[in-house]
Amino acid sequence: MKPGDLWRRNLSLHVDNNPAWICLVVSEKENNEHDLTDPEKEAGDSSTPQGELGGNVHLLGWIDSNANGKFNPGEKKFADSFFDVFTELAIRDSTTGNGSLSPTIPVEMLQMTLCAGTPIVGDNGTVTCNGSSMGDQSQTDSLVADIQLYAVQERNNPNFKCVRR
């Protein structure tokens, strides 16, 4: 990973016959410092077990209502944070105002980008990555995180809220 790298992933969600609430959990497993290079030392990095990479990798996620891979006006973000902020995100729960994912919705497309730096959304909705905010302090760091998506049936859970477990 280097400044300006961008990864894109899309997920399609479907339910057959039982409406469901949808949550996304982002949890850090490791954000480690490794050997310090001269550029890291010159940038003020010190030898600590905690790395800086998590504070430089940004997750941007949205419900892609027209499945074009672009973040268009009116599409709802469900994630817009750096990986140093780990949380449970509501895609659809009783607090989002979206209602549950229903069998009448043929498919719900989620788009996610990981940016080594700051994501930029262009006028046409295309997401690019500006790596200029990512300095030398994270050169030898490693970051491992889990992204887990889960569903809970709406029936018998009408007021369900995604909360960190």
Side-chain angles (χ1 to χ4, degrees):
M1 176 183 297
K2 62 186 182 312
D5 281 351
L6 180 73
W7 294 272
R8 293 182 177 93
R9 292 292 176 260
N10 61 16
L11 301 169
S12 61
L13 305 178
H14 317 261
V15 293
D16 290 328
N17 57 17
N18 193 353
W21 303 115
I22 309 296
C23 305
L24 184 79
V25 180
V26 182
S27 56
E28 178 182 349
K29 297 298 182 185
E30 296 176 13
N31 186 17
N32 294 331
E33 181 73 57
H34 295 287
D35 297 330
L36 290 176
T37 62
D38 287 339
E40 282 180 290
K41 291 175 188 174
E42 291 169 10
D45 199 350
S46 61
S47 182
T48 63
Q50 183 74 21
E52 295 80 25
L53 190 55
N56 287 289
V57 176
H58 191 279
L59 171 67
L60 175 62
W62 67 96
I63 297 173
D64 192 0
S65 58
N66 61 2
N68 69 352
K70 297 179 179 184
F71 184 58
N72 299 306
E75 291 181 330
K76 184 172 177 155
K77 287 182 193 176
F78 59 82
D80 189 8
S81 66
F82 284 95
F83 259 81
D84 61 345
V85 180
F86 294 92
T87 189
E88 183 153 344
L89 306 164
I91 307 297
R92 288 179 171 268
D93 77 1
S94 64
T95 67
T96 63
N98 297 338
S100 60
L101 183 58
S102 166
T104 61
I105 300 170
V107 65
E108 174 129 288
M109 294 297 296
L110 304 182
Q111 295 287 339
M112 292 187 291
T113 64
L114 288 175
C115 168
T118 305
I120 307 295
V121 179
D123 292 338
N124 66 355
T126 300
V127 179
T128 58
C129 184
N130 181 342
S132 65
S133 64
M134 189 173 180
D136 288 334
Q137 291 183 332
S138 57
Q139 278 191 6
T140 62
D141 297 358
S142 64
L143 174 66
V144 177
D146 284 341
I147 299 176
Q148 178 185 29
L149 188 67
Y150 72 92
V152 172
Q153 72 172 355
E154 177 190 20
R155 183 179 36 217
N156 302 319
N157 297 294
N159 298 313
F160 178 79
K161 296 177 186 156
C162 298
V163 293
R164 181 126 186 172
R165 298 171 202 240

